[in-house]
Amino acid sequence: MSTNLGLLLIAAAACTAAAVTYPTPSPLHNSAGAVAPPARIARTKVCAVAALGNNQDDGPQIQAAARNCSGGTVVLDGNYFIASYTDLTGLSSVDFDISGTIQFYNDVDYWQSNAFKIVYQNSSAMWRFGGVDINVYGGGTIDGNGQTFYEAYAKNIYIYRPILFVVDGLNGGSISNLTFLRSPQWNNLIANSTNVIYDNLNIVTVSNSSTVAKNTDGWDVYRSDNIVIQNSVIRNGDDCVSFKPNSTNIVVQNLNCTGSHGISVGSLGQYAGEFDIVENIYVFNIHMTNASDGARIKVWPNVASTLNELAGGGGTGRVNNVTFDTFYNTNNDYAIELTQCYGQSNLTLCNMYPSLLTISNVWFQNFYGTSSGKYNDIVGSLVCSSPSVCSNIYARNVSIAANPGFSTADYTCTNIDTTLLQINCLQNTTTTSTTTSGPVASTNLSNASANFVPNVFLTFLFVFASLLRFDEAQ
């Protein structure tokens, strides 16, 4: 796939009539070391699982069916109940056709010692999917039954709250046409995986009491490459999508997010001694409503910091070649936010110990809509910890209306080159240009990227998704 995609991009760029004034973003795929998607194997058998009923644990029989269904489809068309950790990793060429409902046991104490522990941000899982050529679809519902966890977390922030759907170690596959309800914590974690598409998911994770459902991210991508997330509706209480450490070559497009913390890079730099990378990301056509942020980059400072149950700071790494393109904002606190002081309330400490993680070649473009007015005339904030760690940060064609009581929409801009920002910046502490010649996304195709125009790039998005697509069973 990598070679063909590279040739396609070069050919498309060669057909472009003229260069643009600004370097145009393009999440080019670096073919070096890329893992090609596996060939899809025809499904030749059906492995139906009959629900036990009466809240009996269906987890063991679902796991057993999957392990004996290579080259087949596990059919889940009833009402299932899972009350034990279910390991669906290490599979080969298995589809899961979920047209029924899967609900998880909601005993908080039980899952503290019986969930699968994930060594990142106090995470855990009630089930995991992984292997080669795995597809999950069917129009059914996966219900995390999370209300008891929301109530328990309000009393004890150190409890484990399982993630609703975990993909771990998957090469080639898709998750599509499903409804996710009431996840105890994040809805999706994509870990150690490549060549995976998420398409047409309906995610609703909200509390039915006055207790807020917290940390209910739509997707978290971690140590994964070549991921597409698209055509979905999300109502939750944290990041709509979050690119965690070592997320590369990702397209996110056509999402409708309500009540979230935006599409976020990070948090990064949490763990001292770790080198975090988020690179070659393209986010396109996002409707964001009643959110704290539209697009956000969040990095921990180089000093010990604490945020709720999380602690960290002092990690290194880079954010490079990230584009947020075409955001429709409705009543969001900030349309754009960049911070390198995440998890630290003492700004003096952040200034004394600036982040070690660099941010470069980032585009915020084609932003429209309204602010909530929470910060009066301030509708965005771009604050780098020092001029040396931020370069080539662009904002263009940004049109966000401020609180009706203010005539202008303003942005806090600190330690950043304001000559590249087509917004009204306040409180800037430096205007020294740190630009280079353009995106440094790929050693193989960087020359071709300079002449890209939007219509050619959207063609790339379509082809990229098509190359990764794994059709449902015939």
Side-chain angles (χ1 to χ4, degrees), residues 252-309:
V252 173
Q253 59 185 349
N254 308 330
L255 301 187
N256 191 320
C257 310
T258 299
S260 81
H261 293 178
I263 308 290
S264 298
V265 172
S267 62
L268 304 175
Q270 179 179 353
Y271 300 108
E274 296 287 335
F275 192 91
D276 296 343
I277 299 172
V278 171
E279 192 165 51
N280 301 346
I281 309 294
Y282 194 88
V283 183
F284 175 74
N285 191 33
I286 306 298
H287 290 255
M288 189 72 65
T289 302
N290 298 333
S292 66
D293 299 272
R296 180 167 68 154
I297 298 176
K298 47 183 178 176
V299 175
W300 293 74
N302 187 28
V303 63
S305 306
T306 302
L307 180 67
N308 297 325
E309 74 273 26

Side-chain angles (χ1 to χ4, degrees), residues 351-367:
N351 293 330
M352 291 175 60
Y353 303 98
S355 172
L356 301 175
L357 194 143
T358 63
I359 302 175
S360 60
N361 304 309
V362 176
W363 287 261
F364 302 95
Q365 61 185 30
N366 304 320
F367 275 60

